[in-house]
Amino acid sequence: MFDDDLTLLSTADLLESSAEHRAIANRADARVLEHAQVYADRFHPDACTPRPGRRSCGGRERAVVLGGEGCPEIAEFAIAEYAAVLGVSHRIGAKIIGDALALRHRFPFTWARVLSGDATPWKACRLVRDCVDLSEEAARYVDQRVAALIDTITPYRLDKIVKAAKMHIDPEGARAEAAAKVRERGVFIGRSDEHGTKTIYIRTSSGAATRFDATIHALSDAQQTLGDTRPTQIRRAESVGIIADPIFAQELLTQAHHHPTPSPAPHDATPAPGDSTADTSAAESPVPDATEPTTNPPADTGASRAAVQSAATPDAPGGDGWVSGDEPGPDEPGLDDEADRDAPHPSSSDQPDPLDHTDRRTGHLAEPFPAGTDHEPDDGEPMDAAAQRALASRLAQIKHDAYARLASIQPPDTPTRPGTPARPGKTEIYVHLTDHTLASGDGVLRAEEIGPLLATQLSELIGYSPYTVKPVIDLNHAVSVNCYEATERIRERVKLTHPVELFPYGTRETNHSIDLDHLEPYDPLGPPGQTCTTNLAPLGRYAHRVKTHARGWNVRRINPTTLEWTTPHGFVFHVNPTGTHRVITEGQD
């Protein structure tokens, strides 16, 4: 179909061809929405009516409404097979079906323009999602106002028009939405990038943001006083890890106050933890020579960057569409998995990065820099390895001094007195690496919930805190108990063996609260050892309910790490640590 040699086309023809193929892609996306509508029509609520004598409870299938008021109900478990065959998670599948139904039933003018090719499908889907909480009447009003503008103005301008239309037709809803913004305040941790850097999003009151910024600034200045010559923003990032330990932070500010004149760190100082040549007797604790689980309070010290965003600051504009495959943030109506309440906030995945609109010198969110003004961050001076070791050693000593002073006030064997600060909570980190990396201290390792890191970055995870190296866990050894509930020992092994749920295209990471499903159903009168690492599979709550209650779904273990799922209509998928793989069976193309 696409055998033409593009290099033979003139520039004008190349551009015309590009636009033509974009139109083809839009028509294909519209066709996907039509498929979703027909599929939803075939799974009406009668399909999930409980069998005689059985109640619709205990995780059994329900009728759900996707897309907003005015859309028809659909049998909940039908979403699972639709999503699996499309190669997306059940949440994305629900989003596609909801978008399709909302366009047909709530936004007929916009849907007509999508079918005619005059509106880009992903932009239309974004519109219906923005209006999902509107009544059917209000949605029709917005549809009439903006349908003709979908492809004629930028998404940012369209958002403003949609917002104005919503406020006009539903002022009470607009006030409720404004109040809901206050409830969106919180602190959200983003995913790690390929260099071990994470983003922290903070939505809080303006006053709290200002006070936090002042403390970060003071800690940055304190590090500079002790000889840290790196740029301001690097020191501010380091301060995020320091502020996690209030006792350490206060001691750092106190000691820096008595040394107001910055001075370069001596190059002959004792190396800090984390350097391969470190003399560990001078530091609080050495860098581990084994990288099994370690315990340390503030993970990612110096590897995080904070974006402080007040509730009044608008999000930066940016487009996204369901065709991109991004995971949604808030749960879709009717898909409220209890086990998913700790899923990443939308700020941690697909929203624009506030740092793209941040004054890099002050850390404040701002409009793009005016032309001709100097808003570049200070360059600072690079620190060589010896200077960095000396600085880290000094900070480790300050932390030691802080807790030594605390111990002198309150010995460890005395009960905790009210008002006496305690050490911050411990953090458990799982690190995977080869024997070569362990022996040489060089290479690549993987830290769970962070991703791949250079071995030299391991010291950033430890920070300036003591750590405990736990024994290596042999995952080849099966562990079982003679009861239904899995113990923490079993949960830990299942987590290490299967870091992500074992449902087709599942996205839920295995953690302490995820459901562990017995592949062979537990029999109270059966043999001992049924709750075993070889008979448990981590599943999100929705996937667990589908496996337990949906008709026509079958699952079996085909080897220690792979499950085979068969859907009601005969589609087969293998799920293992490498992901989800569809298996083409006889009779399928």
Side-chain angles (χ1 to χ4, degrees):
M1 181 177 179
F2 305 123
D3 294 332
D4 297 341
D5 185 352
L6 298 181
T7 62
L8 301 178
L9 298 178
S10 67
T11 301
D13 290 340
L14 183 67
L15 293 174
E16 287 286 2
S17 177
S18 179
E20 178 184 347
H21 284 85
R22 170 46 56 191
I24 292 173
N26 287 341
R27 287 196 294 271
D29 289 343
R31 195 65 173 159
V32 170
L33 292 171
E34 291 184 278
H35 281 74
Q37 293 167 352
V38 174
Y39 182 84
D41 293 341
R42 295 182 179 180
F43 290 90
H44 47 78
D46 293 342
C48 61
T49 302
R51 284 169 284 181
R54 303 189 71 176
R55 295 180 299 168
S56 180
C57 62
R60 295 188 178 91
E61 189 171 28
R62 304 166 296 183
V64 296
V65 174
L66 305 177
E69 178 186 310
C71 293
E73 294 180 328
I74 178 176
E76 181 186 17
F77 291 162
I79 300 167
E81 185 174 17
Y82 175 84
V85 175
L86 259 66
V88 297
S89 73
H90 77 273
R91 293 187 178 279
I92 290 295
K95 185 179 289 290
I96 297 173
I97 294 174
D99 291 344
L101 293 177
L103 282 168
R104 186 175 68 182
H105 294 277
R106 289 161 53 87
F107 293 82
F109 292 99
T110 301
W111 178 232
R113 294 185 66 83
V114 169
L115 291 177
S116 66
D118 294 325
T120 303
W122 74 261
K123 294 180 181 179
C125 291
R126 175 173 171 169
L127 168 65
V128 301
R129 288 180 212 154
D130 288 343
C131 301
V132 68
D133 293 328
L134 293 181
S135 67
E136 184 176 5
E137 178 184 1
R140 291 292 183 96
Y141 173 83
V142 174
D143 180 35
Q144 295 174 10
R145 290 290 302 272
V146 305
L149 303 175
I150 294 284
D151 270 18
T152 62
I153 60 177
T154 65
Y156 185 51
R157 286 185 59 199
L158 182 64
D159 285 345
K160 290 184 176 180
I161 295 173
V162 171
K163 182 178 180 180
K166 290 167 61 177
M167 295 174 67
H168 177 79
I169 191 63
D170 187 12
E172 288 297 327
R175 282 190 285 270
E177 186 176 352
K181 285 295 182 182
V182 177
R183 295 192 295 271
E184 290 180 2
R185 294 176 180 178
V187 180
F188 312 101
I189 308 298
R191 295 186 178 93
S192 177
D193 67 10
E194 65 274 19
H195 302 296
T197 297
K198 283 194 174 186
T199 301
I200 300 178
Y201 296 87
I202 303 176
R203 290 177 178 266
T204 186
S205 66
S206 297
T210 301
R211 291 188 291 274
F212 178 82
D213 178 67
T215 303
I216 288 290
H217 183 73
L219 290 171
S220 171
D221 287 349
Q223 294 172 77
Q224 186 179 38
T225 298
L226 296 175
D228 192 338
T229 62
R230 293 173 297 175
T232 300
Q233 283 301 327
I234 299 297
R235 299 196 307 271
R236 286 171 63 89
E238 288 280 351
S239 300
V240 173
I242 295 172
I243 204 172
D245 186 343
I247 299 174
F248 177 27
Q250 183 59 52
E251 183 69 20
L252 173 59
L253 292 173
T254 299
Q255 293 201 22
H257 178 72
H258 292 91
H259 297 80
T261 303
S263 58
H267 289 193
D268 57 349
T270 304
D275 188 86
S276 59
T277 61
D279 177 1
T280 56
S281 63
E284 185 177 10
S285 57
V287 164
D289 55 0
T291 51
E292 259 306 301
T294 60
T295 305
N296 74 313
D300 270 357
T301 300
S304 299
R305 49 196 176 102
V308 182
Q309 180 172 3
S310 83
T313 303
D315 290 334
D320 68 295
W322 57 262
V323 293
S324 68
D326 289 340
E327 287 301 316
D331 291 345
E332 291 295 320
L335 297 177
D336 48 340
D337 295 354
E338 294 179 10
D340 284 342
R341 57 178 175 264
D342 60 347
H345 185 271
S347 296
S348 70
S349 54
D350 57 356
Q351 286 190 352
D353 190 340
L355 290 180
D356 291 340
H357 299 268
T358 300
D359 185 321
R360 290 170 288 173
R361 184 169 58 184
T362 65
H364 298 155
L365 293 175
E367 294 300 321
F369 304 140
T373 58
D374 181 15
H375 286 276
E376 290 300 315
D378 60 299
D379 295 332
E381 297 179 5
M383 299 176 67
D384 59 27
Q388 291 188 36
R389 289 195 299 268
L391 176 64
S393 180
R394 179 71 180 276
L395 292 173
Q397 184 61 47
I398 290 174
K399 185 164 189 174
H400 178 272
D401 294 344
Y403 284 97
R405 181 175 294 107
L406 177 63
S408 67
I409 298 173
Q410 177 178 335
D413 56 348
T414 61
T416 302
R417 295 183 299 179
T420 301
R423 284 183 178 270
K426 295 182 178 180
T427 302
E428 194 168 54
I429 303 172
Y430 291 91
V431 181
H432 304 265
L433 75 169
T434 65
D435 54 352
H436 173 75
T437 300
L438 180 63
S440 65
D442 189 23
V444 179
L445 53 83
R446 180 175 67 86
E448 292 191 9
E449 298 184 359
I450 296 175
L453 296 173
L454 296 173
T456 53
Q457 292 178 294
L458 183 59
S459 60
E460 290 184 343
L461 297 180
I462 306 301
Y464 311 108
S465 304
Y467 55 84
T468 300
V469 180
K470 296 177 64 176
V472 173
I473 299 175
D474 184 3
L475 299 178
N476 295 316
H477 176 64
V479 178
S480 64
V481 293
N482 298 327
C483 61
Y484 178 79
E485 294 294 334
T487 63
E488 286 301 317
R489 183 168 177 241
I490 289 178
R491 279 188 168 274
E492 185 175 29
R493 282 161 171 75
V494 172
K495 174 183 183 297
L496 293 173
T497 304
H498 306 293
V500 180
E501 66 171 312
L502 291 177
F503 193 70
Y505 299 102
T507 60
R508 178 79 188 279
E509 291 187 359
T510 305
N511 58 22
H512 68 280
S513 64
I514 198 170
D515 291 359
L516 296 185
D517 175 66
H518 289 77
L519 295 175
E520 292 294 331
Y522 182 83
D523 182 3
L525 303 179
Q530 296 179 68
T531 301
C532 179
T533 51
T534 59
N535 189 41
L536 294 174
L539 296 175
R541 180 58 53 84
Y542 175 82
H544 194 177
R545 291 172 53 227
V546 168
K547 188 261 183 185
T548 305
H549 300 292
R551 303 175 187 177
W553 281 84
N554 293 293
V555 58
R556 68 185 182 97
R557 187 185 294 278
I558 60 177
N559 62 48
T561 60
T562 304
L563 295 187
E564 180 180 87
W565 292 83
T566 304
T567 73
H569 291 87
F571 296 95
V572 179
F573 300 89
H574 286 177
V575 183
N576 58 34
T578 65
T580 302
H581 310 274
R582 181 176 169 182
V583 179
I584 303 300
T585 59
E586 185 176 352
Q588 294 180 349
D589 293 332

